[in-house]
Amino acid sequence: AKGTKFDIIQAIWSFKRKRTPSGELIKHKSRLCAHGGQQTSNTYWESFSPVVQWSTLRTILTLSLIKGWHARSIDFVLAYPQAPMKAKVFMKLPFGFQVSKPGKWLLQLTQNVYGLKDAGRTWHQHLKEGLLARGFTQGKVDPCVFYKDQLILVIYVDDVIAFSPSKTSIDEFIRSMQAAEPISYILEDQGPLKDYLGIEIITLPDGRISMTQAHLIAKIITTANFTSGIVNSVPTPATGVLHKFTNSPTVQDPPFHYRSLIGQLNYLAATTRPDISVAVHQCAKYCKDPKGPHYTAAKRIVRYLHATKDKGLILTVGDPTIECFADADFAGAWDKDEPGNASNVHSRTGFLIKFAGCPIAWKSVSQTEIALSTTEAEYIALSSATRTLLHLLHLIQEIKDQGIDLVLPTAQVKAKCFEDNAGCLELAKAPKLRPRTKHIAVKYHHFLSHVKTQDNPNGILDLHYVNTEDQQADQFTKPLSPVLFERLRLLVCGW
């Protein structure tokens, strides 16, 4: 209409080599994309699009191992353009197009195109609409999980895993999605689950599941410029606690792009290599102004990965119980050379959550508040761990509520206590408003109503004391000696 303003954005050609998780080149891809950076708010309203959480995926994958379910990988071919546009967007002619009067023609987008700010959200809503029309129920705990009878779908953008005790139900689902009504989709059945989002998933002869990312580790080694010569391997990814090193000079000729390397390491630590979590998080704190010691610490992580590049996460199913190990390192980063730096006295939280003996969630992170005692640091760590734990318990309960045969286990939270840290357990089991802890009451007492006590025998969190030697979350709080590190790595990673 005359006087109406529309977005006119540039067209961009995107070229990519697609590889398997092992690094094998399988195809060359070219894709016409839109320059979403030139979009204005009058052509989109929201841009957020959810993706499944890794803890959710590992929980359902572990559940499928326990139940002996089938897992099928499904990929939607050119997913985004399968959804129609929701607003008028015009694009300039792509490079290579020949027209009679250059500069006089525009393309109106009728289908969703990669590169638009709301492209992911448009596709997710389009897929959700088709699934709901076919009788699926969207999960409330994780919006990227859908249920229908005994079929569970886990969705990460256009990559879907279908879990079911019956192959027939998965086949029927695929045929239904390809049907013309109510909404037709173009998808590819990739068979039994072998890889997902760059992770190679292999069923070992003894029934265990191996999850590795050899191609990503090879990319990390290349980014760190460790491609030539002999690489000296190291037994652990970290040896000590990092600081700002303000007196160290800025590296004038960096051996690699620090932020790029840390970004890749962060993804690896969050998916299949929990053993590098502490080392990576320490390096990530100093991305703004890395000094020489930070580069050295990052290179040590790469040296460790170079010696273990074929390793990952091995899921071994045991008793169907949930265990949560919570630990803290009280003011472990304090540095006598920087006594005035408040960030050095933030304690570190580390926790590990296991379902049927398989690690499904872990974290190593600095606490946001400055703890005033070891007891307080431990209690903050315990409270932080239970936030994720309660979320996963609600997910398991939701799966059970969908009619899937599942015995909900009672969660065991094992918290390490030092010296007077019997106070940590006392604070959790019999909370009182004490002068030394009242400042953390509002934020960190959230889980107390779920704790199993004499007054609350139906609580789903059962607190236990654990010895330091058996504290599996210890490796998420600080660098450890090689002997202790390797023993805990075996308990967590399975190797």
Side-chain angles (χ1 to χ4, degrees):
K2 187 176 181 180
T4 303
K5 294 184 179 180
F6 298 109
D7 277 349
I8 301 175
I9 59 181
Q10 290 181 331
I12 298 175
W13 285 108
S14 174
F15 302 95
K16 181 181 178 182
R17 298 181 183 93
K18 187 172 183 179
R19 300 179 183 270
T20 63
S22 61
E24 179 186 357
L25 178 64
I26 55 177
K27 69 170 68 172
H28 291 81
K29 300 176 66 175
S30 63
R31 178 180 291 163
L32 181 62
C33 303
H35 193 322
Q38 297 177 347
Q39 269 187 280
T40 58
S41 58
N42 66 332
T43 56
Y44 72 97
W45 295 268
E46 294 184 33
S47 59
F48 171 75
S49 178
V51 294
V52 69
Q53 298 184 46
W54 282 106
S55 58
T56 299
L57 173 59
R58 284 188 286 260
T59 299
I60 298 179
L61 181 59
T62 302
L63 177 61
S64 72
L65 292 176
I66 297 173
K67 307 294 288 184
W69 287 353
H70 301 282
R72 191 86 62 83
S73 181
I74 300 169
D75 178 51
F76 287 83
V77 182
L78 287 175
Y80 284 14
Q82 295 189 38
M85 287 290 295
K86 294 186 175 181
K88 277 191 176 183
V89 177
F90 291 89
M91 186 170 67
K92 297 179 181 179
L93 293 182
F95 177 80
F97 275 49
Q98 301 295 327
V99 293
S100 58
K101 295 181 180 180
K104 299 294 184 180
W105 297 91
L106 296 174
L107 299 177
Q108 181 180 350
L109 300 180
T110 59
Q111 296 296 117
N112 190 32
V113 176
Y114 288 94
L116 296 175
K117 287 185 177 180
D118 59 341
R121 181 178 181 85
T122 301
W123 159 248
H124 178 79
Q125 292 177 331
H126 180 67
L127 178 58
K128 173 184 173 181
E129 182 182 354
L131 292 175
L132 296 179
R134 287 169 171 82
F136 280 86
T137 300
Q138 186 177 23
K140 296 180 180 179
V141 178
D142 193 318
C144 290
V145 178
F146 289 80
Y147 308 94
K148 183 180 181 182
D149 300 327
Q150 296 289 305
L151 180 62
I152 300 178
L153 301 181
V154 174
I155 300 173
Y156 194 105
V157 190
D158 59 345
D159 291 305
V160 177
I161 304 178
F163 296 94
S164 176
S166 170
K167 288 184 179 180
T168 304
S169 62
I170 300 178
D171 293 335
E172 291 177 352
F173 162 71
I174 293 174
R175 286 194 294 269
S176 172
M177 294 296 284
Q178 293 173 329
E181 296 294 338
I183 301 175
S184 179
Y185 297 89
I186 303 172
L187 53 86
E188 177 183 341
D189 180 4
Q190 298 182 329
L193 182 63
K194 294 183 295 184
D195 60 79
Y196 193 66
L197 303 176
I199 300 175
E200 188 172 12
I201 303 174
I202 300 175
T203 302
L204 302 176
D206 56 3
R208 297 181 300 165
I209 295 293
S210 171
M211 304 173 68
T212 58
Q213 291 172 280
H215 178 57
L216 176 57
I217 294 178
K219 185 177 179 181
I220 289 172
I221 294 172
T222 301
T223 302
N225 293 322
F226 280 15
T227 55
S228 61
I230 299 175
V231 177
N232 297 323
S233 62
V234 292
T236 62
T239 57
V241 179
L242 295 180
H243 305 99
K244 282 188 175 181
F245 300 108
T246 53
N247 295 327
S248 298
T250 301
V251 179
Q252 298 299 328
D253 187 17
F256 52 83
H257 193 284
Y258 190 85
R259 288 194 179 190
S260 177
L261 181 68
I262 297 303
Q264 296 173 50
L265 289 171
N266 262 326
Y267 183 74
L268 181 65
T271 50
T272 61
R273 294 299 296 266
D275 51 320
I276 65 172
S277 295
V278 167
V280 173
H281 188 268
Q282 282 197 128
C283 292
K285 288 178 62 178
Y286 305 103
C287 280
K288 183 178 180 180
D289 185 22
K291 304 293 186 179
H294 303 134
Y295 280 94
T296 301
K299 286 192 290 186
R300 181 182 177 88
I301 302 175
V302 180
R303 294 181 190 277
Y304 170 75
L305 290 175
H306 189 276
T308 59
K309 52 189 171 187
D310 60 335
K311 303 296 185 180
L313 199 62
I314 298 178
L315 304 182
T316 305
V317 173
D319 295 331
T321 60
I322 288 185
E323 295 179 314
C324 175
F325 296 85
D327 195 14
D329 182 29
F330 173 58
W334 184 80
D335 183 14
K336 63 180 181 180
D337 295 329
E338 297 180 354
N341 189 348
S343 65
N344 288 345
V345 293
H346 283 267
S347 302
R348 177 171 291 274
T349 289
F351 67 80
L352 168 70
I353 300 176
K354 284 186 167 183
F355 178 31
C358 301
I360 57 175
W362 56 82
K363 179 168 285 190
S364 175
V365 64
S366 295
Q367 295 179 1
T368 55
E369 289 83 8
I370 296 178
L372 304 180
S373 65
T374 303
T375 297
E376 190 172 312
E378 295 282 347
Y379 186 75
I380 292 173
L382 179 63
S383 177
S384 299
T386 55
R387 296 177 200 173
T388 302
L389 178 61
L390 289 171
H391 170 83
L392 294 173
L393 286 175
H394 293 154
L395 173 66
I396 295 176
Q397 183 64 54
E398 182 179 80
I399 294 173
K400 182 180 178 182
D401 293 341
Q402 294 298 321
I404 296 172
D405 181 20
L406 174 65
V407 177
L408 181 66
T410 299
Q412 291 186 344
V413 181
K414 299 185 177 180
K416 175 183 176 184
C417 300
F418 296 95
E419 303 166 349
D420 63 338
N421 269 13
C424 175
L425 292 179
E426 180 192 357
L427 194 62
K429 291 185 175 181
K432 300 175 183 178
L433 192 63
R434 299 172 172 83
R436 290 194 51 133
T437 58
K438 64 182 181 181
H439 61 286
I440 62 172
V442 175
K443 186 172 182 179
Y444 292 106
H445 287 351
H446 67 93
F447 68 99
L448 297 179
S449 62
H450 300 285
V451 175
K452 185 177 181 180
T453 62
Q454 291 183 348
D455 297 331
N456 185 25
N458 297 322
I460 60 176
L461 303 181
D462 191 9
L463 304 187
H464 293 269
Y465 175 81
V466 64
N467 292 322
T468 301
E469 295 76 14
D470 300 322
Q471 177 55 274
Q472 297 184 31
D474 195 22
Q475 64 179 300
F476 297 101
T477 61
K478 56 186 173 295
L480 303 176
S481 65
V483 174
L484 181 56
F485 174 79
E486 290 175 4
R487 188 173 72 83
L488 294 180
R489 183 183 64 189
L490 177 62
L491 294 175
V492 178
C493 298
W495 53 276

mmCIF file of all heavy atoms in Angstrom, residues 105-141:
data_model
loop_
_atom_site.group_PDB
_atom_site.id
_atom_site.type_symbol
_atom_site.label_atom_id
_atom_site.label_comp_id
_atom_site.label_asym_id
_atom_site.label_seq_id
_atom_site.Cartn_x
_atom_site.Cartn_y
_atom_site.Cartn_z
ATOM 1 N N TRP A 105 13.960 -4.535 -8.909
ATOM 2 C CA TRP A 105 13.190 -5.702 -8.508
ATOM 3 C C TRP A 105 13.516 -6.100 -7.063
ATOM 4 O O TRP A 105 14.636 -5.970 -6.602
ATOM 5 C CB TRP A 105 13.481 -6.887 -9.435
ATOM 6 C CG TRP A 105 13.075 -6.651 -10.863
ATOM 7 C CD1 TRP A 105 13.835 -6.133 -11.869
ATOM 8 C CD2 TRP A 105 11.800 -6.913 -11.419
ATOM 9 N NE1 TRP A 105 13.133 -6.050 -13.033
ATOM 10 C CE2 TRP A 105 11.854 -6.527 -12.797
ATOM 11 C CE3 TRP A 105 10.593 -7.422 -10.938
ATOM 12 C CZ2 TRP A 105 10.771 -6.656 -13.656
ATOM 13 C CZ3 TRP A 105 9.516 -7.546 -11.791
ATOM 14 C CH2 TRP A 105 9.595 -7.165 -13.137
ATOM 15 N N LEU A 106 12.494 -6.611 -6.396
ATOM 16 C CA LEU A 106 12.640 -7.153 -5.043
ATOM 17 C C LEU A 106 11.953 -8.508 -4.975
ATOM 18 O O LEU A 106 11.061 -8.812 -5.771
ATOM 19 C CB LEU A 106 12.013 -6.224 -3.996
ATOM 20 C CG LEU A 106 12.630 -4.827 -3.816
ATOM 21 C CD1 LEU A 106 11.789 -4.015 -2.849
ATOM 22 C CD2 LEU A 106 14.059 -4.932 -3.321
ATOM 23 N N LEU A 107 12.357 -9.309 -4.015
ATOM 24 C CA LEU A 107 11.710 -10.593 -3.754
ATOM 25 C C LEU A 107 10.910 -10.490 -2.464
ATOM 26 O O LEU A 107 11.437 -10.076 -1.428
ATOM 27 C CB LEU A 107 12.756 -11.710 -3.616
ATOM 28 C CG LEU A 107 13.646 -11.989 -4.820
ATOM 29 C CD1 LEU A 107 14.662 -13.060 -4.478
ATOM 30 C CD2 LEU A 107 12.796 -12.427 -6.016
ATOM 31 N N GLN A 108 9.626 -10.856 -2.522
ATOM 32 C CA GLN A 108 8.832 -10.913 -1.304
ATOM 33 C C GLN A 108 8.915 -12.331 -0.740
ATOM 34 O O GLN A 108 8.663 -13.306 -1.447
ATOM 35 C CB GLN A 108 7.372 -10.556 -1.555
ATOM 36 C CG GLN A 108 6.542 -10.600 -0.269
ATOM 37 C CD GLN A 108 5.082 -10.245 -0.486
ATOM 38 O OE1 GLN A 108 4.711 -9.788 -1.581
ATOM 39 N NE2 GLN A 108 4.251 -10.458 0.513
ATOM 40 N N LEU A 109 9.298 -12.432 0.520
ATOM 41 C CA LEU A 109 9.449 -13.742 1.145
ATOM 42 C C LEU A 109 8.079 -14.285 1.529
ATOM 43 O O LEU A 109 7.343 -13.659 2.301
ATOM 44 C CB LEU A 109 10.334 -13.639 2.390
ATOM 45 C CG LEU A 109 11.766 -13.126 2.157
ATOM 46 C CD1 LEU A 109 12.535 -13.075 3.463
ATOM 47 C CD2 LEU A 109 12.493 -14.002 1.151
ATOM 48 N N THR A 110 7.740 -15.426 0.982
ATOM 49 C CA THR A 110 6.478 -16.083 1.337
ATOM 50 C C THR A 110 6.700 -17.203 2.344
ATOM 51 O O THR A 110 5.770 -17.595 3.043
ATOM 52 C CB THR A 110 5.803 -16.669 0.084
ATOM 53 O OG1 THR A 110 6.686 -17.619 -0.526
ATOM 54 C CG2 THR A 110 5.483 -15.572 -0.911
ATOM 55 N N GLN A 111 7.941 -17.725 2.404
ATOM 56 C CA GLN A 111 8.286 -18.767 3.359
ATOM 57 C C GLN A 111 9.401 -18.274 4.279
ATOM 58 O O GLN A 111 10.183 -17.406 3.919
ATOM 59 C CB GLN A 111 8.746 -20.041 2.634
ATOM 60 C CG GLN A 111 7.680 -20.698 1.773
ATOM 61 C CD GLN A 111 6.499 -21.199 2.575
ATOM 62 O OE1 GLN A 111 5.373 -20.723 2.388
ATOM 63 N NE2 GLN A 111 6.739 -22.142 3.465
ATOM 64 N N ASN A 112 9.426 -18.845 5.464
ATOM 65 C CA ASN A 112 10.441 -18.517 6.457
ATOM 66 C C ASN A 112 11.835 -18.809 5.889
ATOM 67 O O ASN A 112 12.055 -19.835 5.258
ATOM 68 C CB ASN A 112 10.182 -19.364 7.707
ATOM 69 C CG ASN A 112 11.012 -18.946 8.883
ATOM 70 O OD1 ASN A 112 11.331 -17.778 9.038
ATOM 71 N ND2 ASN A 112 11.370 -19.899 9.724
ATOM 72 N N VAL A 113 12.790 -17.913 6.093
ATOM 73 C CA VAL A 113 14.124 -18.049 5.509
ATOM 74 C C VAL A 113 15.162 -18.002 6.624
ATOM 75 O O VAL A 113 15.024 -17.243 7.589
ATOM 76 C CB VAL A 113 14.391 -16.922 4.478
ATOM 77 C CG1 VAL A 113 15.814 -16.991 3.947
ATOM 78 C CG2 VAL A 113 13.402 -17.022 3.327
ATOM 79 N N TYR A 114 16.204 -18.800 6.487
ATOM 80 C CA TYR A 114 17.307 -18.764 7.438
ATOM 81 C C TYR A 114 17.920 -17.371 7.480
ATOM 82 O O TYR A 114 18.079 -16.717 6.457
ATOM 83 C CB TYR A 114 18.389 -19.771 7.032
ATOM 84 C CG TYR A 114 17.998 -21.213 7.252
ATOM 85 C CD1 TYR A 114 17.426 -21.949 6.225
ATOM 86 C CD2 TYR A 114 18.204 -21.833 8.479
ATOM 87 C CE1 TYR A 114 17.064 -23.273 6.412
ATOM 88 C CE2 TYR A 114 17.844 -23.160 8.671
ATOM 89 C CZ TYR A 114 17.282 -23.877 7.642
ATOM 90 O OH TYR A 114 16.917 -25.186 7.832
ATOM 91 N N GLY A 115 18.251 -16.929 8.662
ATOM 92 C CA GLY A 115 18.890 -15.634 8.841
ATOM 93 C C GLY A 115 17.983 -14.584 9.431
ATOM 94 O O GLY A 115 18.470 -13.609 10.013
ATOM 95 N N LEU A 116 16.667 -14.746 9.305
ATOM 96 C CA LEU A 116 15.738 -13.794 9.902
ATOM 97 C C LEU A 116 15.804 -13.878 11.421
ATOM 98 O O LEU A 116 16.061 -14.944 11.991
ATOM 99 C CB LEU A 116 14.313 -14.066 9.425
ATOM 100 C CG LEU A 116 14.049 -13.891 7.924
ATOM 101 C CD1 LEU A 116 12.627 -14.320 7.585
ATOM 102 C CD2 LEU A 116 14.282 -12.443 7.505
ATOM 103 N N LYS A 117 15.549 -12.765 12.081
ATOM 104 C CA LYS A 117 15.663 -12.733 13.533
ATOM 105 C C LYS A 117 14.691 -13.687 14.219
ATOM 106 O O LYS A 117 15.002 -14.260 15.270
ATOM 107 C CB LYS A 117 15.434 -11.308 14.043
ATOM 108 C CG LYS A 117 16.590 -10.364 13.748
ATOM 109 C CD LYS A 117 16.365 -9.017 14.386
ATOM 110 C CE LYS A 117 17.564 -8.103 14.160
ATOM 111 N NZ LYS A 117 17.381 -6.767 14.763
ATOM 112 N N ASP A 118 13.523 -13.857 13.660
ATOM 113 C CA ASP A 118 12.516 -14.720 14.272
ATOM 114 C C ASP A 118 12.369 -16.034 13.524
ATOM 115 O O ASP A 118 11.362 -16.731 13.685
ATOM 116 C CB ASP A 118 11.173 -14.011 14.339
ATOM 117 C CG ASP A 118 10.661 -13.601 12.958
ATOM 118 O OD1 ASP A 118 11.486 -13.536 12.020
ATOM 119 O OD2 ASP A 118 9.452 -13.368 12.819
ATOM 120 N N ALA A 119 13.367 -16.407 12.712
ATOM 121 C CA ALA A 119 13.251 -17.626 11.902
ATOM 122 C C ALA A 119 13.116 -18.864 12.768
ATOM 123 O O ALA A 119 12.288 -19.747 12.508
ATOM 124 C CB ALA A 119 14.457 -17.752 10.965
ATOM 125 N N GLY A 120 13.925 -18.956 13.826
ATOM 126 C CA GLY A 120 13.855 -20.118 14.701
ATOM 127 C C GLY A 120 12.527 -20.215 15.416
ATOM 128 O O GLY A 120 11.958 -21.314 15.546
ATOM 129 N N ARG A 121 12.008 -19.091 15.875
ATOM 130 C CA ARG A 121 10.732 -19.095 16.576
ATOM 131 C C ARG A 121 9.591 -19.463 15.632
ATOM 132 O O ARG A 121 8.689 -20.229 15.986
ATOM 133 C CB ARG A 121 10.483 -17.723 17.199
ATOM 134 C CG ARG A 121 9.179 -17.632 17.975
ATOM 135 C CD ARG A 121 9.009 -16.265 18.625
ATOM 136 N NE ARG A 121 7.769 -16.198 19.384
ATOM 137 C CZ ARG A 121 7.652 -16.607 20.635
ATOM 138 N NH1 ARG A 121 8.694 -17.119 21.258
ATOM 139 N NH2 ARG A 121 6.509 -16.516 21.269
ATOM 140 N N THR A 122 9.631 -18.913 14.411
ATOM 141 C CA THR A 122 8.586 -19.230 13.424
ATOM 142 C C THR A 122 8.550 -20.722 13.130
ATOM 143 O O THR A 122 7.481 -21.332 13.052
ATOM 144 C CB THR A 122 8.821 -18.437 12.135
ATOM 145 O OG1 THR A 122 8.803 -17.032 12.428
ATOM 146 C CG2 THR A 122 7.760 -18.741 11.088
ATOM 147 N N TRP A 123 9.739 -21.332 12.970
ATOM 148 C CA TRP A 123 9.800 -22.768 12.703
ATOM 149 C C TRP A 123 9.296 -23.578 13.898
ATOM 150 O O TRP A 123 8.530 -24.530 13.733
ATOM 151 C CB TRP A 123 11.223 -23.194 12.356
ATOM 152 C CG TRP A 123 11.458 -24.665 12.574
ATOM 153 C CD1 TRP A 123 12.245 -25.238 13.512
ATOM 154 C CD2 TRP A 123 10.856 -25.747 11.846
ATOM 155 N NE1 TRP A 123 12.187 -26.604 13.432
ATOM 156 C CE2 TRP A 123 11.343 -26.948 12.414
ATOM 157 C CE3 TRP A 123 9.964 -25.806 10.783
ATOM 158 C CZ2 TRP A 123 10.970 -28.196 11.946
ATOM 159 C CZ3 TRP A 123 9.584 -27.061 10.305
ATOM 160 C CH2 TRP A 123 10.080 -28.236 10.881
ATOM 161 N N HIS A 124 9.694 -23.202 15.103
ATOM 162 C CA HIS A 124 9.272 -23.949 16.287
ATOM 163 C C HIS A 124 7.748 -23.921 16.439
ATOM 164 O O HIS A 124 7.122 -24.945 16.743
ATOM 165 C CB HIS A 124 9.932 -23.377 17.543
ATOM 166 C CG HIS A 124 9.503 -24.057 18.813
ATOM 167 N ND1 HIS A 124 10.004 -25.269 19.220
ATOM 168 C CD2 HIS A 124 8.597 -23.687 19.760
ATOM 169 C CE1 HIS A 124 9.449 -25.636 20.353
ATOM 170 N NE2 HIS A 124 8.593 -24.685 20.713
ATOM 171 N N GLN A 125 7.155 -22.750 16.219
ATOM 172 C CA GLN A 125 5.707 -22.655 16.338
ATOM 173 C C GLN A 125 5.003 -23.455 15.247
ATOM 174 O O GLN A 125 3.942 -24.055 15.474
ATOM 175 C CB GLN A 125 5.278 -21.184 16.287
ATOM 176 C CG GLN A 125 5.734 -20.390 17.503
ATOM 177 C CD GLN A 125 5.364 -18.933 17.414
ATOM 178 O OE1 GLN A 125 5.264 -18.361 16.326
ATOM 179 N NE2 GLN A 125 5.182 -18.282 18.553
ATOM 180 N N HIS A 126 5.610 -23.485 14.050
ATOM 181 C CA HIS A 126 5.038 -24.267 12.957
ATOM 182 C C HIS A 126 5.083 -25.759 13.278
ATOM 183 O O HIS A 126 4.106 -26.487 13.042
ATOM 184 C CB HIS A 126 5.819 -23.977 11.674
ATOM 185 C CG HIS A 126 5.329 -24.716 10.469
ATOM 186 N ND1 HIS A 126 4.101 -24.479 9.881
ATOM 187 C CD2 HIS A 126 5.903 -25.711 9.725
ATOM 188 C CE1 HIS A 126 3.948 -25.277 8.844
ATOM 189 N NE2 HIS A 126 5.029 -26.040 8.724
ATOM 190 N N LEU A 127 6.196 -26.221 13.816
ATOM 191 C CA LEU A 127 6.321 -27.629 14.195
ATOM 192 C C LEU A 127 5.397 -27.964 15.366
ATOM 193 O O LEU A 127 4.734 -29.011 15.368
ATOM 194 C CB LEU A 127 7.772 -27.934 14.566
ATOM 195 C CG LEU A 127 8.084 -29.359 15.028
ATOM 196 C CD1 LEU A 127 7.704 -30.379 13.970
ATOM 197 C CD2 LEU A 127 9.549 -29.497 15.411
ATOM 198 N N LYS A 128 5.346 -27.076 16.342
ATOM 199 C CA LYS A 128 4.467 -27.284 17.491
ATOM 200 C C LYS A 128 3.013 -27.386 17.058
ATOM 201 O O LYS A 128 2.261 -28.248 17.539
ATOM 202 C CB LYS A 128 4.650 -26.123 18.478
ATOM 203 C CG LYS A 128 3.668 -26.123 19.641
ATOM 204 C CD LYS A 128 3.867 -24.885 20.492
ATOM 205 C CE LYS A 128 2.787 -24.759 21.554
ATOM 206 N NZ LYS A 128 2.967 -23.530 22.378
ATOM 207 N N GLU A 129 2.587 -26.546 16.120
ATOM 208 C CA GLU A 129 1.211 -26.572 15.633
ATOM 209 C C GLU A 129 0.867 -27.929 15.023
ATOM 210 O O GLU A 129 -0.211 -28.486 15.264
ATOM 211 C CB GLU A 129 1.013 -25.461 14.602
ATOM 212 C CG GLU A 129 -0.401 -25.361 14.044
ATOM 213 C CD GLU A 129 -0.535 -24.279 12.997
ATOM 214 O OE1 GLU A 129 0.439 -23.524 12.778
ATOM 215 O OE2 GLU A 129 -1.623 -24.182 12.377
ATOM 216 N N GLY A 130 1.812 -28.484 14.234
ATOM 217 C CA GLY A 130 1.562 -29.773 13.620
ATOM 218 C C GLY A 130 1.519 -30.907 14.624
ATOM 219 O O GLY A 130 0.724 -31.852 14.485
ATOM 220 N N LEU A 131 2.363 -30.840 15.654
ATOM 221 C CA LEU A 131 2.381 -31.901 16.665
ATOM 222 C C LEU A 131 1.121 -31.860 17.528
ATOM 223 O O LEU A 131 0.526 -32.911 17.825
ATOM 224 C CB LEU A 131 3.627 -31.754 17.541
ATOM 225 C CG LEU A 131 4.970 -32.024 16.850
ATOM 226 C CD1 LEU A 131 6.127 -31.722 17.796
ATOM 227 C CD2 LEU A 131 5.046 -33.465 16.369
ATOM 228 N N LEU A 132 0.693 -30.676 17.924
ATOM 229 C CA LEU A 132 -0.528 -30.570 18.726
ATOM 230 C C LEU A 132 -1.739 -31.036 17.936
ATOM 231 O O LEU A 132 -2.657 -31.663 18.491
ATOM 232 C CB LEU A 132 -0.725 -29.127 19.199
ATOM 233 C CG LEU A 132 0.344 -28.568 20.150
ATOM 234 C CD1 LEU A 132 0.024 -27.124 20.518
ATOM 235 C CD2 LEU A 132 0.443 -29.427 21.408
ATOM 236 N N ALA A 133 -1.759 -30.761 16.634
ATOM 237 C CA ALA A 133 -2.867 -31.201 15.790
ATOM 238 C C ALA A 133 -2.906 -32.729 15.673
ATOM 239 O O ALA A 133 -3.959 -33.299 15.376
ATOM 240 C CB ALA A 133 -2.767 -30.573 14.402
ATOM 241 N N ARG A 134 -1.790 -33.376 15.902
ATOM 242 C CA ARG A 134 -1.726 -34.843 15.827
ATOM 243 C C ARG A 134 -1.906 -35.504 17.183
ATOM 244 O O ARG A 134 -1.662 -36.696 17.338
ATOM 245 C CB ARG A 134 -0.387 -35.255 15.197
ATOM 246 C CG ARG A 134 -0.329 -34.987 13.697
ATOM 247 C CD ARG A 134 1.079 -35.158 13.142
ATOM 248 N NE ARG A 134 1.091 -35.110 11.683
ATOM 249 C CZ ARG A 134 1.097 -33.990 10.967
ATOM 250 N NH1 ARG A 134 1.091 -32.812 11.605
ATOM 251 N NH2 ARG A 134 1.094 -34.020 9.653
ATOM 252 N N GLY A 135 -2.305 -34.737 18.180
ATOM 253 C CA GLY A 135 -2.630 -35.309 19.483
ATOM 254 C C GLY A 135 -1.494 -35.334 20.479
ATOM 255 O O GLY A 135 -1.621 -35.943 21.546
ATOM 256 N N PHE A 136 -0.365 -34.668 20.184
ATOM 257 C CA PHE A 136 0.738 -34.625 21.132
ATOM 258 C C PHE A 136 0.465 -33.594 22.223
ATOM 259 O O PHE A 136 -0.288 -32.630 22.029
ATOM 260 C CB PHE A 136 2.048 -34.270 20.420
ATOM 261 C CG PHE A 136 2.693 -35.431 19.717
ATOM 262 C CD1 PHE A 136 2.324 -35.750 18.420
ATOM 263 C CD2 PHE A 136 3.643 -36.203 20.354
ATOM 264 C CE1 PHE A 136 2.911 -36.816 17.752
ATOM 265 C CE2 PHE A 136 4.230 -37.271 19.708
ATOM 266 C CZ PHE A 136 3.871 -37.591 18.404
ATOM 267 N N THR A 137 1.089 -33.810 23.367
ATOM 268 C CA THR A 137 1.013 -32.884 24.488
ATOM 269 C C THR A 137 2.393 -32.281 24.720
ATOM 270 O O THR A 137 3.380 -33.023 24.821
ATOM 271 C CB THR A 137 0.552 -33.597 25.767
ATOM 272 O OG1 THR A 137 -0.743 -34.175 25.547
ATOM 273 C CG2 THR A 137 0.480 -32.630 26.936
ATOM 274 N N GLN A 138 2.455 -30.969 24.783
ATOM 275 C CA GLN A 138 3.739 -30.312 25.018
ATOM 276 C C GLN A 138 4.097 -30.359 26.489
ATOM 277 O O GLN A 138 3.253 -30.150 27.364
ATOM 278 C CB GLN A 138 3.700 -28.865 24.546
ATOM 279 C CG GLN A 138 5.039 -28.151 24.627
ATOM 280 C CD GLN A 138 4.979 -26.731 24.082
ATOM 281 O OE1 GLN A 138 3.905 -26.127 24.032
ATOM 282 N NE2 GLN A 138 6.112 -26.185 23.671
ATOM 283 N N GLY A 139 5.359 -30.666 26.785
ATOM 284 C CA GLY A 139 5.801 -30.729 28.167
ATOM 285 C C GLY A 139 5.785 -29.364 28.830
ATOM 286 O O GLY A 139 6.059 -28.349 28.195
ATOM 287 N N LYS A 140 5.468 -29.342 30.115
ATOM 288 C CA LYS A 140 5.475 -28.098 30.867
ATOM 289 C C LYS A 140 6.826 -27.843 31.517
ATOM 290 O O LYS A 140 7.200 -26.698 31.738
ATOM 291 C CB LYS A 140 4.374 -28.143 31.941
ATOM 292 C CG LYS A 140 2.964 -28.214 31.368
ATOM 293 C CD LYS A 140 1.923 -28.247 32.479
ATOM 294 C CE LYS A 140 0.507 -28.316 31.898
ATOM 295 N NZ LYS A 140 -0.521 -28.375 32.971
ATOM 296 N N VAL A 141 7.552 -28.908 31.822
ATOM 297 C CA VAL A 141 8.864 -28.757 32.428
ATOM 298 C C VAL A 141 9.887 -28.325 31.391
ATOM 299 O O VAL A 141 10.701 -27.436 31.624
ATOM 300 C CB VAL A 141 9.296 -30.073 33.104
ATOM 301 C CG1 VAL A 141 10.694 -29.942 33.706
ATOM 302 C CG2 VAL A 141 8.290 -30.470 34.182
#
